[in-house]
Amino acid sequence: MKWPRFRALRLQQRMVLLFVTLLMTVQLASFYFIRVAIEEIASQTLREELQVGARVFRRLLDQNSQQLVEATSVLTYDFGFREAIATRDRDTILSALRNHASRIRASGMAVVGLDGRVVADTMDEAQTGGAYAFPDLVVQAESQGRASGMRVVGGKPYQVIVVPIRAPLPIAWVAMSFVIDDASARDLKTLASSDVTFIEVSGGAPRVLATTLEPGPRAALERSAAAVIATSAEGSRLMLGGEDTEVLATPIERKGTGNLYSVLQRPVAAGLEPFRALQLVLVLLACLSLAVTALVANRLARRLALPLARLAKAAGEVAKGRYDVAVQANEPARDEIDELALAFRGMTKGLAERDKVRDVLGKVASAAVADELMRGTVELGGEEREATVMFTDIRNFTSLCETLRP
């Protein structure tokens, strides 16, 4: 149905439609391939930015750990604090620990004896007298003078700092814990310019410990955590909350009981944002080119179609026997249209001369003879033909005519 309708259009309309359709097809194809290239570049750029962000994030964690170590070390030199530890009175020690923990905004503090057993713990008083949960940090503090690490306690990640209490020789170890929850992750997000998620992998299915994501995207990330961690070096793309997102996992703590990863996420739309202006410019240029093409094509089609329409009208007049119709044409001809118009003009002139000769011959010869003469089938000198002639007369026709009235 579409092709007959197209054929029903006038030549000028078909030419304009053809030019515009051809240009639109080329522009749509170009826009598609440009968009694919832009998305690929944006995705690659996002992954590179996430890799840089992961290194920056790791450095931020290290700097934060160093600051916490320094702050904890300063507290251990407090005379009142060391005096409280020296008393070995559990209530006195707990009071001092809570006081210092509030001053440094720590989630909890514990004192560990040189034998590795907990003297007091503000987070879990039931641990008193038991073995310290993270002996590897105590060993590291013994060899390096301080220790820091990420540990999971009660399903939450903590930054744990262990430093010695000296008087002047080490008399115990103080462990200070700083929780990393959703609020802490949001603080880190402002520094890393990406959503931040902490994931623990310890035998079973990976689980999200803290994140800046909403509940929906959080659940989606937790379901895909294993695949994300498997491609941690290259990064991957996930659909989180109905939005394409580039994710990159980085190990921040590896230990026998489990591993802790930080996962950075950035929506692909954020990477495409710098290209929005370019796409808008391309769309505007496409619209402008279509408008210009339509105007130029209309002008060109009109220039071609108008002389043809005049020739068609003149042909209609010639068909009616009017050979004096005027046909405009440039002499000498500038293009094929002028050549056609000049040929048409010569044709009408020839037709007019032929009819004139036919009229002259028709006055001295029969129409059949005149036609043969016009066709050039009559030879000079005449021709012989066999014919039968019959003469007839009516009796008294002459006298009868003389008596009749005209």
Side-chain angles (χ1 to χ4, degrees):
M1 294 299 295
K2 292 183 178 180
W3 176 246
R5 289 178 182 177
F6 177 76
R7 293 185 61 183
L9 298 175
R10 299 185 66 84
L11 176 61
Q12 180 178 346
Q13 296 171 331
R14 280 187 286 171
M15 291 183 65
V16 174
L17 183 61
L18 181 63
F19 277 110
V20 173
T21 303
L22 180 61
L23 181 61
M24 285 184 63
T25 303
V26 173
Q27 287 183 339
L28 288 175
S30 301
F31 189 79
Y32 170 77
F33 288 111
I34 290 174
R35 182 173 177 82
V36 170
I38 287 176
E39 288 184 354
E40 184 63 27
I41 294 173
S43 179
Q44 184 64 30
T45 302
L46 271 180
R47 292 188 179 182
E48 293 176 355
E49 290 178 353
L50 283 178
Q51 291 173 355
V52 174
R55 292 193 292 269
V56 172
F57 183 74
R58 182 64 188 181
R59 187 170 299 176
L60 287 173
L61 290 178
D62 292 340
Q63 291 177 353
N64 185 59
S65 175
Q66 183 65 27
Q67 292 174 358
L68 294 177
V69 167
E70 296 296 337
T72 306
S73 298
V74 170
L75 288 177
T76 61
Y77 288 105
D78 183 80
F79 179 76
F81 180 72
R82 287 187 296 177
E83 189 176 49
I85 299 299
T87 63
R88 292 294 176 174
D89 181 71
R90 179 172 172 273
D91 292 337
T92 303
I93 294 174
L94 281 175
S95 177
L97 291 177
R98 292 191 180 98
N99 179 48
H100 285 79
S102 63
R103 287 169 56 187
I104 200 173
R105 295 182 180 178
S107 302
M109 287 185 69
V111 174
V112 182
L114 296 179
D115 58 355
R117 294 190 174 276
V118 178
V119 176
D121 189 348
T122 62
M123 291 180 62
D124 188 0
E125 296 183 13
Q127 293 292 327
T128 303
Y132 184 54
F134 311 119
D136 56 315
L137 293 178
V138 175
V139 173
Q140 181 182 350
E142 286 180 343
S143 62
Q144 300 179 6
R146 59 185 65 184
S148 175
M150 300 283 289
R151 297 293 184 269
V152 178
V153 179
K156 294 182 179 180
Y158 286 84
Q159 181 81 39
V160 181
I161 311 297
V162 177
V163 295
I165 304 173
R166 301 178 186 274
L169 297 176
I171 59 174
W173 306 98
V174 61
M176 190 169 292
S177 303
F178 299 87
V179 68
I180 301 178
D181 52 11
D182 291 351
S184 303
R186 285 191 290 269
D187 292 337
L188 292 171
K189 175 183 178 179
T190 59
L191 299 175
S193 299
S194 301
D195 282 300
V196 179
T197 301
F198 291 92
I199 296 179
E200 181 192 25
V201 180
S202 57
R207 59 174 180 166
V208 173
L209 302 178
T211 183
T212 58
L213 297 175
E214 297 296 329
R218 173 178 180 149
L221 179 60
E222 194 166 30
R223 289 192 298 268
S224 307
V228 171
I229 292 172
T231 59
S232 59
E234 298 83 10
S236 58
R237 179 179 290 192
L238 292 179
M239 183 67 69
L240 300 179
E243 189 174 27
D244 277 338
T245 306
E246 289 286 341
V247 296
L248 179 66
T250 305
I252 57 177
E253 195 71 45
R254 295 181 183 270
K255 56 187 189 313
T257 57
N259 299 327
L260 194 61
Y261 292 85
S262 64
V263 181
L264 302 182
Q265 312 99 45
R266 289 194 66 185
V268 176
L272 291 174
E273 192 62 34
F275 298 97
R276 298 296 184 193
L278 174 60
Q279 292 180 348
L280 180 60
V281 170
L282 290 176
V283 171
L284 292 177
L285 287 177
C287 295
L288 179 61
S289 62
L290 283 175
V292 172
T293 300
L295 291 175
V296 173
N298 183 67
R299 185 177 181 85
L300 178 61
R302 181 179 177 83
R303 183 177 179 182
L304 293 175
L306 186 60
L308 293 177
R310 291 172 179 171
L311 286 175
K313 183 178 180 181
E317 296 296 327
V318 171
K320 297 177 182 178
R322 295 181 56 188
Y323 303 120
D324 58 345
V325 60
V327 177
Q328 296 180 357
N330 295 312
E331 295 188 42
R334 297 179 180 178
D335 50 33
E336 290 80 357
I337 299 297
D338 286 341
E339 291 177 358
L340 178 61
L342 291 175
F344 186 85
R345 185 185 295 176
M347 180 192 70
T348 55
K349 183 178 181 181
L351 290 173
E353 291 178 352
R354 189 188 68 176
D355 282 3
K356 183 177 181 181
V357 171
R358 177 179 294 173
D359 291 342
V360 172
L361 291 176
K363 295 179 180 179
V364 297
S366 66
V369 174
D371 288 339
E372 290 186 7
L373 289 173
M374 294 297 299
R375 288 196 300 268
T377 57
V378 177
E379 298 180 358
L380 295 177
E383 61 180 7
E384 294 182 357
R385 292 189 179 185
E386 293 184 0
T388 300
V389 180
M390 180 178 67
F391 295 93
T392 60
D393 190 15
I394 298 176
R395 182 183 300 175
N396 300 325
F397 181 73
T398 301
S399 59
L400 178 63
C401 289
E402 290 176 349
T403 60
L404 295 177
R405 298 176 63 181

